[in-house]
Amino acid sequence: MNKDKIPSNVTVVLNNISEQTENLFGSNFVGFYVHGSIAMDCFNPLVSDIDFLIVIRAKMSVREKQDLAKILLNAKHDNPKGVEMSVVLSEYTKNPVFPTPYEFHFSKEWAERYRHNEVDLTKENSDPDLDAHFMIIKKRGVVWRGLPIGEVFSEIPKEFYIKSLLYDFDDLDKNILANPVYGILNACRTVAYLQSELILSKKEGGEWALKNFDKQYLSIIRQALLSYETGEKFFELDSEMQNSFVRYVKGLVEQFS
């Protein structure tokens, strides 16, 4: 992914946050890596997060976590979905484990908790999603600041990436009700990896499924892609079709995993 293809307003946000975080961590800073839809050239400001990962050498202090929360809360942007990021230690990017421990996490959903000091900054945490993020960075990520990806990230074991995908996929029934666009397209890219080992974005996963899924599900996949690309509301999913799609995709996952 060429940085020149990233929208200028997103570039400003990433430059601002990466500069402040590198200053915050000083010699402890390893790198700032962009992943998700931005790195995979399908960013839509209406529905996409600004996704990035910060890698450091040694554990964060509580004060550093407080300062980083302030940087992110004060970051100026016009992206409705906001920023989603984590800080991880280089020992885990070089020696992957599942689930991966993290030092700090922030997203739109966490912002209010940070504002009201409701996050326990002394707690040890881990996130099954991080192995999937590492894989995206390794295969398609963007170095925004710091060391090259090859020096920081080892190859992610296939079984860890599958566990990470299936952790998210296991909530398909709930996801497809709460957010049908995410649930449908994420299911598509999960099957694409299990069947063909393709590392795809949600958009690419939907496009792949149009060529590989049973034709009775193509209309809802097209609708999910349209909603993802335009930000328009997804039509109300018929419960019978929803249940049929869930059964179909779970059957494919069982077949290929």
Side-chain angles (χ1 to χ4, degrees):
M1 174 67 177
N2 191 322
K3 283 187 180 182
D4 293 338
K5 298 178 70 175
I6 297 174
S8 58
N9 59 325
V10 175
T11 296
V12 169
V13 175
L14 291 170
N15 283 341
N16 177 38
I17 296 175
S18 63
E19 180 179 3
Q20 291 187 73
T21 53
E22 184 172 10
N23 290 337
L24 172 65
F25 291 119
S27 61
N28 195 26
F29 181 85
V30 173
F32 187 107
Y33 305 93
V34 177
H35 61 94
S37 58
I38 297 174
M40 302 172 94
D41 197 22
C42 58
F43 179 77
N44 179 345
L46 297 173
V47 298
S48 302
D49 303 299
I50 297 174
D51 294 305
F52 59 88
L53 193 77
I54 297 173
V55 181
I56 58 176
R57 294 181 174 86
K59 294 182 72 63
M60 294 176 68
S61 67
V62 170
R63 178 58 185 272
E64 284 177 324
K65 294 177 183 179
Q66 292 170 336
D67 290 344
L68 180 53
K70 289 177 183 176
I71 289 171
L72 295 166
L73 288 171
N74 293 329
K76 304 296 182 185
H77 62 79
D78 55 2
N79 195 62
K81 289 279 287 181
V83 164
E84 182 160 4
M85 60 79 68
S86 295
V87 180
V88 298
L89 297 177
S90 58
E91 67 177 278
Y92 299 120
T93 62
K94 293 178 179 177
N95 302 286
V97 297
F98 183 89
T100 303
Y102 65 85
E103 293 295 297
F104 182 92
H105 179 76
F106 185 93
S107 67
K108 181 179 179 180
E109 289 71 25
W110 283 56
E112 286 305 309
R113 294 174 59 193
Y114 281 111
R115 285 194 181 94
H116 295 96
N117 298 313
E118 295 173 350
V119 179
D120 184 355
L121 299 177
T122 65
K123 184 180 177 182
E124 298 288 332
N125 297 287
S126 63
D127 183 358
D129 286 335
L130 283 168
D131 289 271
H133 299 337
F134 291 176
M135 180 69 89
I136 299 299
I137 291 171
K138 184 70 176 175
K139 302 299 183 184
R140 302 178 64 177
V142 178
V143 182
W144 208 261
R145 282 176 180 256
L147 295 178
I149 289 171
E151 293 183 23
V152 179
F153 293 85
S154 298
E155 291 295 332
I156 309 302
K158 180 180 176 180
E159 62 268 28
F160 288 178
Y161 185 58
I162 291 174
K163 284 183 179 181
S164 192
L165 288 176
L166 294 183
Y167 172 80
D168 208 13
F169 177 82
D170 283 343
D171 286 330
L172 177 60
D173 303 76
K174 296 178 182 177
N175 286 338
I176 208 167
L177 279 174
N179 187 342
V181 174
Y182 177 86
I184 291 168
L185 299 183
N186 189 58
C188 293
R189 69 174 173 182
T190 298
V191 175
Y193 181 78
L194 293 174
Q195 182 173 326
S196 304
E197 296 193 12
L198 299 172
I199 309 293
L200 304 178
S201 66
K202 290 189 288 292
K203 178 176 180 289
E204 292 166 338
E207 292 168 344
W208 177 89
L210 288 177
K211 301 175 183 177
N212 292 277
F213 276 21
D214 190 287
K215 63 182 180 180
Q216 66 178 305
Y217 304 111
L218 301 189
S219 63
I220 66 167
I221 295 169
R222 290 192 188 96
Q223 178 62 30
L225 283 168
L226 181 64
S227 296
Y228 185 84
E229 292 170 9
T230 65
E232 295 179 3
K233 183 176 175 59
F234 189 88
F235 66 82
E236 188 171 342
L237 194 60
D238 175 80
S239 60
E240 184 176 339
M241 174 57 74
Q242 170 198 311
N243 293 334
S244 177
F245 180 80
V246 170
R247 288 194 302 270
Y248 173 72
V249 175
K250 286 188 173 182
L252 292 176
V253 167
E254 289 177 9
Q255 178 182 347
F256 294 113
S257 61

